[in-house]
Amino acid sequence: MNTTTRRVAVVGGNRIPFARSNSAYSKASNQDMLTAALDGLIARYSLDGEQLGEVAGGAVLKHSRDRDLTRESVLGTRLAPETPAYDVQQACGTGLEAAILVANKIALGQIDSGIACGVDTTSDAPIALNEDLREILLEANREKSTAGRLRQLAKVRPGHIVPAIPRNEEPRTGKSMGEHCAIMATEWGVGREEQDELTARSHHNLAAAYERGFMDDLVDPFLGLERDQNLRPDSSTEKLAKLKPVFGGENGTMTAGNSTPLSDGASSVLLASEEWAKERDLPILAYFSEGQTAAVDHVHKREGLLMAPAYAMPRMLDRAGLTLQDFDFYEIHEAFAAQVLCTLRAWEDPVFCKERLGLDAPLGSIDRDKLNVNGGSLAAGHPFAATGGRIVASLAKALHEQGSGRGVISICAAAGQGVVAVLESAGGSK
Amino acid sequence: MSDRYSQIVNSFPGKLVAGRVGLPQPTELDRHTPGAPVVAGRVLLGAAPGGRLAEPLARVISDAGAEASTTPESSLRDAAASAGLDAALFDPENGGDQRFKALVFDATGVEDSTQLVELQRFFHPTVRKLERSGRVVVLGTPAFGCDDAREATAQRALEGFTRSLGKEVGRGSTVQLVYVSPGGEGELDSTLRFLLSPRSAYVSGQVVRIGPGVTKPPKLDWERPLDGKVALVTGASRGIGEAIATTLHRDGAKLVLLDVPALSSDLDAVAKRLDADTIEIDITEEGAPAAIADKLAGGVDIVVHNAGVTRDRTIAKMPEERWSGLMEINLSSEERINDVLLERGLLRDNGRIVCVSSMSGIAGNSGQTNYATSKAGVIGMVEALAPTLAERALTINAVAPGFIETQMTGQMPIAIREAGRRMNSMSQGGLPVDVAETIAWLASPASTGVNGIVVRVCGQSLLGA
């Protein structure tokens, strides 16, 4: 029985620029984009013909035909076709959860290398048959005789042409994620101004990262896009202040600016054991050292839908023997600026930390200058399952650049879930 | 007893008309139902900086199982955390459409009149967020607990605020001021629970004083706080007395009900319903106090002096027997009963005497010199006995009902009746149960810190305010 674990190296990542919905990638399928992201990674790290331990990934919005999306994408790349793959889906946590799955297998020695990836399109969305029509067709299929089939098909009505469109709402509350986040913003007293400040900073940081070449070996152009389409380098709090609220009613604080737009894109990260990487003379940007998933009851206990990372964090810190202040980089996924600010406020709040997290003292504040230093989802966009891979690769590179230290990732997901993880510099922690 | 005006203006067309022409629009008041939560909604806790009650308040709110929020000040968040109150945060600046059933403000930190602006800062953005039949409680420090004249001045000023706010809030909401003496911080439970709950439906604009307890407050089953207690209720066969008996019985008390022999069939009916013992006696008889004491030889925990009559006449037309007969019933007999019970030591530890005074005893009323004198005397008795009783771990308090819908008020001429009903912050009369709930609070074994006070159950009547 295996009683030891090994360190898991983050070798590097690759993604395609993220596009705004119904724009540059409107004709690209999930499989197209994922294959492109993987091919870029394969080229960057010379994985041609390589048989990896596995490829884990997924998409949140998936066509029914994409039964084995990740495996089919792998078959379209230059990886050895003998590389196994499977689909993962945990809403916006998909990408990071996939990385945890691959990292755990490497740590246990079950595999030596693997890719975690994710993709999403809100343009090429899976539109399904009208539910009533679908039932009629299935009934007709069950009939034994032609007459029976015709009898069933005669039930088809013109209204059945209306398709079933994927809905952006929580099945158990009927509220959209934005509406849920608006409730959280109210509950935590998060104001418009601070949300707009966070948003402007996200754009400025991502623009600066592109300018100084930080993104050069993280992003490969795709379908004419070289940078994330949502990025507005000249964004400012003044401009953002002019936008009308889109969630939380007339007096709401959440706008199209300080909420992530619907986006299309794909990302991938190569993880490996140290030996595997060294054998191939591949870099080790960082170690993937901790991961934790948590969920909240947003239905009956009415906890904020996107508050699960706030719960996951102390469990992970406790296990790792770390405090919230022990990090050089904080990568908090900006689903909405308000989500980030609610999470930070919750960690500072004595009541939340004692009553909900069961801690003796609040987790405390973080140094805001260490937050999303190379931009966040508000600037880059947020193709749901691709966000985890974007962040892991970017944080690993930031740690590599610094040569020391530790970074933490926090990602909120639909259905009241959240995923957090720790990456440590391969140069050793401070 | 039916208030037809309320029914009409609460109907759809009635509401429309009354709103247009500016008629009073009484709200149907929330009232307690067994098993209901203390507060049917969210409580917002705020405080002036430097207050000393945030933590005890948070603990009471937490124990009461109420949903709560606090304003964002770190002192309040710390207080809530150490009290174990899972309070949400409420920032008035970014509060959205959050609404509250109760607003609780600790004003004990106000040490100077310039700091009274904290009241404006807390209530200005929140008062419109108060739900129907909402509750507002402001807490302060009584003059003798203040360090200097400035603090005492500012703390006394709170009374003007709560009494005015009581007249502004409307929609069945109530506003109270609670003065907590140093050392009374652990005695808030029963009073806060009462003032925040629908039990205090018709109590508004009142000043309640809480001091160090006459004894340690016991742990209670708040659904049956009077379990195992024996309570004597005089004048129990009808009206308010019957409501008192019913409420004390609901709270778990074993009852001894007293009324005059002429009302014996009414008394028996009540006693049968409430599984109570009875004493049929005229309390003004010479041997009555001793006879009552004999009946209570096993000890008694709660004595409610409710028996009372009116014998209205202007003083110019008042014959002596009309004066004396009333005074005997309403005041002198109560004094004699108290004396005998105390002499014989029949009031058990942590016992309660609760008297029924009247708004007339505070405000005075034409044609009621005798009645008002007796009811003001009841207040005098409460104030005079309180220190002595405290030494014996007993308390004495009074309620002073305003316009309560009873058979008696039902027989008033309509003009006087309507004036009585509408001239208060609730624009309606109270119910006998409102008086009974107030008595049940004062009678609670947990009300150890409440002694020597008079609480009006008058919907903040304009009279005598």
Side-chain angles (χ1 to χ4, degrees):
Chain A
M1 197 171 104
N2 180 9
T3 55
T4 57
T5 57
R6 330 182 262 183
R7 293 208 287 197
V8 179
V10 181
V11 174
N14 182 63
R15 67 179 178 95
I16 58 173
F18 294 166
R20 287 173 67 92
S21 187
N22 291 316
S23 174
Y25 303 164
S26 58
K27 302 250 168 71
S29 69
N30 272 337
Q31 193 176 324
D32 294 341
M33 291 191 286
L34 186 55
T35 306
L38 289 169
D39 267 334
L41 187 74
I42 292 157
R44 183 164 298 141
Y45 296 104
S46 313
L47 304 176
D48 265 28
E50 191 83 55
Q51 180 184 326
L52 299 181
E54 70 180 28
V55 177
V60 174
L61 290 178
K62 218 164 95 165
H63 290 270
S64 53
R65 66 169 179 270
D66 285 340
R67 190 188 60 198
D68 295 308
L69 172 66
T70 310
R71 170 67 182 152
E72 293 302 330
S73 299
V74 166
L75 286 173
T77 68
R78 281 164 291 158
L79 283 176
E82 289 81 6
T83 300
Y86 57 95
D87 279 19
V88 181
Q89 199 201 66
Q90 195 178 49
C92 309
T94 302
L96 187 56
E97 190 68 84
I100 293 173
L101 292 170
V102 173
N104 286 349
K105 286 196 186 180
I106 294 169
L108 287 172
Q110 294 171 354
I111 58 174
D112 293 317
S113 63
I115 293 174
C117 56
V119 58
D120 253 295
T121 172
T122 50
S123 307
D124 182 33
I127 291 175
L129 276 185
N130 180 290
E131 187 60 21
D132 294 337
L133 177 59
R134 196 178 69 88
E135 276 174 26
I136 293 167
L137 294 178
L138 286 171
E139 280 303 324
N141 190 42
R142 285 176 200 125
E143 292 285 346
K144 302 268 187 293
S145 65
T146 310
R149 283 187 203 115
L150 287 173
R151 204 166 42 243
Q152 289 298 337
L153 291 173
K155 292 180 187 165
V156 175
R157 296 287 175 274
H160 289 155
I161 198 170
V162 179
I165 295 168
R167 291 177 306 170
N168 173 29
E169 65 187 32
E170 283 295 315
R172 285 169 194 276
T173 63
K175 289 193 187 76
S176 75
M177 197 171 294
E179 284 161 352
H180 271 287
C181 195
I183 295 170
M184 284 163 49
T186 302
E187 284 176 351
W188 287 100
V190 169
R192 169 77 183 263
E193 214 170 304
E194 47 184 330
Q195 294 178 48
D196 287 348
E197 276 167 21
L198 188 97
T199 306
R201 200 191 311 210
S202 182
H203 283 280
H204 298 160
N205 286 351
L206 182 62
Y210 272 109
E211 283 310 308
R212 68 188 174 88
F214 180 81
M215 308 304 285
D216 289 355
D217 57 357
L218 292 172
V219 177
D220 261 358
F222 183 63
L223 298 183
L225 272 192
E226 296 194 349
R227 291 186 176 188
D228 302 309
Q229 199 177 17
N230 190 56
L231 173 60
R232 282 170 180 59
D234 60 348
S235 173
S236 70
T237 47
E238 291 76 28
K239 285 181 189 168
L240 289 163
K242 288 180 189 145
L243 298 174
K244 287 212 176 89
V246 289
F247 301 114
E250 279 171 40
N251 299 318
T253 56
M254 294 172 54
T255 67
N258 60 39
S259 310
T260 49
L262 291 176
S263 341
D264 306 337
S267 70
S268 61
V269 184
L270 176 61
L271 304 171
S273 70
E274 289 177 276
E275 300 75 31
W276 190 91
K278 281 174 187 158
E279 279 165 20
R280 285 159 186 75
D281 210 15
L282 290 173
I284 296 176
L285 299 186
Y287 295 114
F288 197 107
S289 63
E290 279 289 351
Q292 177 78 44
T293 305
V296 296
D297 182 353
H298 59 289
V299 184
H300 297 108
K301 294 185 188 160
R302 288 186 290 166
E303 178 55 275
L305 178 74
L306 305 178
M307 291 303 285
Y311 288 77
M313 185 63 75
R315 293 174 199 166
M316 179 174 71
L317 293 178
D318 185 48
R319 198 172 55 238
L322 296 170
T323 72
L324 187 61
Q325 288 69 38
D326 289 340
F327 297 95
D328 302 86
F329 301 98
Y330 298 86
E331 286 289 340
I332 304 182
H333 162 50
E334 299 160 347
F336 305 91
Q339 193 280 336
V340 178
L341 295 165
C342 287
T343 302
L344 295 177
R345 207 154 289 185
W347 287 334
E348 290 166 359
D349 184 45
V351 176
F352 182 85
C353 289
K354 180 166 179 251
E355 298 298 318
R356 308 277 177 93
L357 304 182
L359 305 174
D360 295 333
L363 288 175
S365 312
I366 65 162
D367 180 351
R368 294 285 184 98
D369 289 336
K370 297 175 178 171
L371 175 64
N372 300 346
V373 293
N374 292 308
S377 295
L378 284 167
H382 170 41
F384 312 121
T387 288
R390 171 185 72 76
I391 295 177
V392 171
S394 158
L395 174 60
K397 184 168 177 195
L399 286 164
H400 183 64
E401 267 191 347
Q402 178 165 290
S404 66
R406 200 182 274 128
V408 68
I409 302 170
S410 164
I411 296 181
C412 60
Q417 306 207 82
V419 192
V420 296
V422 175
L423 265 58
E424 310 218 10
S425 161
S429 286
K430 271 192 215 170
Chain B
M1 273 183 53
S2 78
D3 180 352
R4 193 158 295 141
Y5 175 81
S6 280
Q7 289 165 8
I8 292 168
V9 295
N10 277 315
S11 68
F12 177 74
K15 218 175 253 178
L16 210 67
V17 173
R20 296 274 160 86
V21 300
L23 288 173
Q25 287 179 282
T27 304
E28 194 183 332
L29 304 180
D30 284 3
R31 288 198 166 79
H32 176 71
T33 49
V38 176
V39 191
R42 187 168 279 273
V43 181
L44 175 65
L45 176 61
R52 63 189 160 90
L53 295 177
E55 192 174 326
L57 286 169
R59 189 189 51 72
V60 174
I61 295 165
S62 169
D63 287 352
E67 283 190 306
S69 301
T70 77
T71 48
E73 293 85 0
S74 61
S75 58
L76 277 170
R77 301 305 291 166
D78 285 335
S82 55
L85 177 67
D86 186 1
L89 186 150
F90 175 77
D91 182 352
E93 300 272 314
N94 300 303
D97 52 5
Q98 177 75 63
R99 296 177 71 76
F100 298 99
K101 193 69 178 178
L103 305 173
V104 178
F105 186 75
D106 171 17
T108 55
V110 174
E111 293 177 336
D112 186 282
S113 57
T114 58
Q115 295 165 0
L116 287 164
V117 71
E118 295 296 337
L119 292 165
Q120 186 275 344
R121 288 180 185 151
F122 178 76
F123 285 102
H124 169 69
T126 55
V127 75
R128 285 206 183 93
K129 297 183 175 293
L130 191 62
E131 289 170 355
R132 211 178 51 80
S133 280
R135 296 285 179 267
V136 175
V137 179
V138 175
L139 297 104
T141 306
F144 66 86
C146 294
D147 291 334
D148 57 27
R150 284 287 180 87
E151 186 182 357
T153 302
Q155 289 294 321
R156 176 60 179 80
L158 299 174
E159 222 176 297
F161 178 80
T162 52
R163 289 190 195 279
S164 298
L165 188 59
K167 297 181 182 192
E168 284 183 10
V169 280
R171 305 200 311 144
S173 295
T174 66
V175 182
Q176 330 286 352
L177 175 60
V178 178
Y179 280 126
V180 183
S181 332
E185 294 84 358
E187 308 286 336
L188 303 180
D189 294 78
S190 72
T191 299
L192 253 291
R193 280 170 181 260
F194 173 69
L195 295 178
L196 292 178
S197 76
R199 294 172 198 257
S200 56
Y202 202 59
V203 178
S204 189
Q206 296 306 292
V207 179
V208 174
R209 288 163 200 281
I210 299 179
V214 296
T215 182
K216 204 170 166 297
K219 282 239 174 283
L220 277 193
D221 170 1
W222 291 100
E223 278 293 304
R224 288 179 67 82
L226 303 182
D227 244 349
K229 302 287 179 186
V230 175
L232 169 70
V233 181
T234 69
S237 62
R238 292 193 301 202
I240 292 175
E242 183 184 357
I244 296 167
T246 306
T247 302
L248 298 186
H249 175 261
R250 176 203 68 192
D251 284 355
K254 177 81 191 118
L255 296 172
V256 180
L257 304 180
L258 183 151
D259 221 317
V260 290
L263 293 172
S264 89
S265 64
D266 288 346
L267 185 67
D268 285 344
V270 177
K272 191 169 178 218
R273 181 165 62 81
L274 303 177
D275 191 21
D277 286 341
T278 58
I279 307 177
E280 286 176 21
I281 201 164
D282 176 350
I283 51 174
T284 63
E285 275 173 25
E286 199 184 332
I292 293 165
D294 291 343
K295 188 89 182 184
L296 299 172
V300 62
D301 300 285
I302 298 157
V303 175
V304 182
H305 289 302
N306 167 69
V309 293
T310 53
R311 299 269 193 274
D312 294 0
R313 217 40 95 70
T314 57
I315 190 70
K317 294 178 183 166
M318 179 92 65
E320 182 174 330
E321 65 274 13
R322 205 171 173 92
W323 176 282
S324 304
L326 175 142
M327 202 60 64
E328 276 291 306
I329 298 168
N330 288 9
L331 180 58
S332 306
S333 66
E334 292 184 8
E335 294 180 288
R336 291 195 286 265
I337 292 168
N338 288 346
D339 286 348
V340 172
L341 293 178
L342 290 171
E343 271 165 29
R344 294 207 200 165
L346 292 176
L347 260 172
R348 294 174 184 155
D349 270 3
N350 202 20
R352 302 277 179 269
I353 300 174
V354 186
C355 307
V356 178
S357 176
S358 163
M359 198 164 68
S360 291
I362 297 168
N365 198 11
S366 175
Q368 292 196 321
T369 50
N370 53 353
Y371 182 74
T373 302
S374 72
K375 292 300 185 182
V378 166
I379 295 171
M381 178 173 76
V382 164
E383 289 171 351
L385 282 180
T388 327
L389 293 191
E391 289 167 14
R392 300 172 64 166
L394 307 171
T395 70
I396 179 165
N397 295 287
V399 297
F403 186 94
I404 303 297
E405 305 278 358
T406 60
Q407 246 176 357
M408 191 178 84
T409 57
Q411 286 158 2
M412 282 178 169
I414 183 161
I416 296 175
R417 185 169 71 225
E418 277 307 303
R421 270 180 182 156
R422 307 302 159 207
M423 284 167 66
N424 60 68
S425 296
M426 303 292 152
S427 301
Q428 60 192 293
L431 300 181
V433 71
D434 298 330
V435 179
E437 295 280 13
T438 309
I439 289 173
W441 153 53
L442 295 170
S444 164
S447 298
T448 45
V450 183
N451 190 19
I453 70 166
V454 180
V455 179
R456 295 171 48 161
V457 186
C458 63
Q460 197 180 25
S461 170
L462 296 177
L463 303 178

